[in-house]
Amino acid sequence: MSTASKDSKHDKRRTSSGQGLSELERAAVKERAAELKTDARRGRGGGKAAADEQDVLAKIAEMAPPDRELAERVHAIVTAAAPQLRPKLWYGQPAYARAGKVVCFFRSGQADKEPYSTFGFTSEANLAGDGGLWPTSFAVTELSDETEKTITALVAKAVS
């Protein structure tokens, strides 16, 4: 790959001056602002939770393959492993929250112009380890049985 094409691949991820938000970051901030307005409008209760989950499922359905398949499987894994987490959009991507605070999330690699998607955890997850090292995010390109078991165990620990 030439330097020119390699550099142009990343143009949308950073500003030309290296300062401020990139085009992708600005779009994510706008999506987050819209999510907060929607949350305020919906209020609380079962109707809000159902609407939030529909938003997540719609966002997943919009994703191009293979991210869509990864997101669908991650959604199924997380909702089965931790039914107390509520799906919601977070910066325009699927996330799973406890008491309104995001615990874990999926980010589409294609949406981020990256060669891989990401499954990650916020500081709300109970993953801190004794050794001073614990997972916060993982690159995801495929989900094997072993990977699914790892995600299941981490999500269960995150909400314990």
Side-chain angles (χ1 to χ4, degrees):
M1 176 181 280
S2 73
T3 304
S5 64
K6 190 175 187 181
D7 289 343
S8 66
K9 176 182 174 186
H10 298 289
D11 284 349
K12 293 185 188 258
R13 289 192 303 186
R14 60 177 176 237
T15 61
S16 59
S17 66
Q19 303 213 350
L21 298 175
S22 70
E23 182 181 323
L24 287 173
E25 290 166 332
R26 283 190 302 275
V29 169
K30 286 179 183 179
E31 286 189 74
R32 184 66 185 133
E35 292 161 10
L36 292 171
K37 286 179 187 177
T38 299
D39 280 352
R41 188 177 65 248
R42 286 184 178 159
R44 296 178 185 240
K48 178 189 180 321
D52 285 348
E53 183 164 20
Q54 285 305 310
D55 289 348
V56 167
L57 294 174
K59 179 57 81 173
I60 291 171
E62 291 172 6
M63 292 178 186
D67 284 355
R68 181 181 331 121
E69 290 83 9
L70 290 172
E72 288 170 345
R73 288 179 70 192
V74 166
H75 179 77
I77 293 165
V78 172
T79 56
Q84 67 270 45
L85 294 181
R86 298 288 170 235
K88 65 183 280 180
L89 290 177
W90 191 52
Y91 293 95
Q93 297 290 311
Y96 304 87
R98 174 180 48 214
K101 296 185 179 186
V102 172
V103 173
C104 58
F105 58 90
F106 177 86
R107 291 217 41 96
S108 164
Q110 291 183 353
D112 288 341
K113 310 265 189 272
E114 294 289 347
Y116 54 84
S117 293
T118 305
F119 181 71
F121 297 92
T122 69
S123 59
E124 294 296 319
N126 297 322
L127 295 178
D130 293 335
L133 178 71
W134 59 88
T136 59
S137 65
F138 298 89
V140 182
T141 58
E142 62 182 64
L143 291 175
S144 65
D145 289 343
E146 185 176 325
T147 306
E148 288 187 20
K149 288 177 187 172
T150 299
I151 291 173
T152 299
L154 286 169
V155 169
K157 183 177 180 184
V159 297
S160 64

